[in-house]
């Protein structure tokens, strides 16, 4: 299958590079002294793009530079950097790496919630600074007698719900449609969900419809005892509105693993004592990243060998008439 050529716009894990190069011909755009010249040279031969969040926007203009492009295999469950609708309309398959990271992200989400509610990083800093000698760490909030609303009940959302139920949290959710198999209260929009809860767990996909879905109104509805946790994408939360809500104590606290302009985090959030901030590490264990790498390779190689993609996204079903 060396005649099936794949372009890697940005560096991918070694497991991906090794797995693809064993079977296919790969071109490493990030190593090119002149990336534009490399695309001009190999663009007509490229049939696959292997992307990650670091690849930047993969829109129609980018994909159009490869007239024989057949597949974009993405590393990650979120694929908002890719214009999948455009790809589908032009006969290009898009794949992602779902399921293999659901448990890892769900674990992290619950850990971030606990860290935020019980101020675990702050307590660690308190001890390390020697303050325990002057008195005990202040009392914190609790998970007791709380209701958590899950904004987005996909694979990861359901994994979070399973874990949250073990903590005896009352659960509700907001999603594109009601899930008949979900034994939780359903709300048609995130504002209604926030009004009914005091923990808002954000795990919806990043789309035009969800951009800044968590805004001033939603934060006000969450209330002064409210806690926001975002393990989805930074774009779902209006950062300025969140900073204002934290400073005005409109909500109690926030735990964030994602930001609007990564890796740039507003100083106001860094300085905020009610925040727990993580550098987008939801799926960042070696075990899970290796599983993601293998699935990305499997998608590309399976397609190149004529067996079809393993995990095509909803916008580009396989076979193409399966929508």
């Amino acid at each position: 299958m060396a005649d099936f050529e794949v372009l890697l716009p940005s560096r991918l894990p070694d497991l991906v590079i090794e797995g693809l190069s064993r079977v296919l011909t790969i071109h490493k755009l990030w190593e090119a002294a002149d990336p534009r010249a490399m695309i001009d040279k190999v663009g007509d031969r490229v049939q696959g793009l292997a992307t990650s969040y670091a690849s930047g926007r993969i829109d129609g203009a980018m994909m159009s530079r490869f007239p024989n492009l057949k597949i974009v295999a993405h590393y990650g469950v979120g694929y908002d950097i890719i214009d999948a609708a455009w790809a589908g309309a032009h006969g290009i398959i898009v794949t992602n790496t779902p399921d293999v990271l659901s448990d890892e992200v769900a674990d992290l989400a619950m850990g971030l919630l606990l860290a935020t509610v019980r101020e675990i990083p702050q307590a660690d800093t308190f001890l390390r600074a020697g303050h325990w000698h002057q008195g005990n760490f202040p009392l914190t909030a609790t998970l007791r007698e709380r209701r958590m609303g899950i904004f987005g009940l996909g694979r990861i959302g359901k994994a979070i719900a399973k874990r949250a139920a073990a903590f005896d949290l009352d659960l509700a959710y907001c999603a594109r449609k009601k899930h008949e198999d979900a034994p939780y209260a359903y709300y048609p929009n995130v504002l209604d969900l926030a009004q009914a809860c005091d923990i808002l767990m954000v795990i919806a996909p990043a789309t035009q419809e969800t951009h800044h879905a968590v805004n001033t109104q939603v934060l006000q509805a969450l209330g002064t005892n409210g806690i926001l946790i975002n393990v989805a994408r930074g774009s779902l939360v209006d950062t300025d509105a969140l900073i204002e809500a934290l400073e005005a104590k409109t909500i109690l606290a926030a735990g964030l693993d994602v930001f609007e302009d990564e890796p740039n985090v507003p100083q106001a959030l860094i300085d905020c004592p009610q925040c727990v901030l993580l550098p987008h590490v939801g799926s960042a264990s070696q075990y899970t990243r290796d599983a993601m790498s293998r699935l990305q390779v499997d998608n590309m190689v399976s397609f190149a060998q004529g067996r079809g993609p393993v995990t095509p996204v909803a916008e580009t079903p396989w076979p193409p008439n399966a929508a």
Side-chain angles (χ1 to χ4, degrees), residues 242-272:
L242 175 59
I243 291 170
E244 183 178 343
L246 288 164
E247 291 178 345
K249 300 190 185 306
T250 302
I251 66 171
L252 180 66
L256 309 173
D257 184 44
V258 289
F259 305 89
E260 288 200 74
D261 183 28
E262 297 177 3
N264 302 307
V265 179
Q267 191 63 42
L269 289 177
I270 293 173
D271 293 340
C272 179

Side-chain angles (χ1 to χ4, degrees), residues 71 93 95 297-312 318-320:
I71 180 172
I93 294 294
T95 66
V297 171
D298 288 347
N299 269 304
M300 186 70 79
V301 171
S302 178
F303 185 87
Q305 292 179 341
R307 301 192 305 273
V310 180
T311 52
W318 186 266

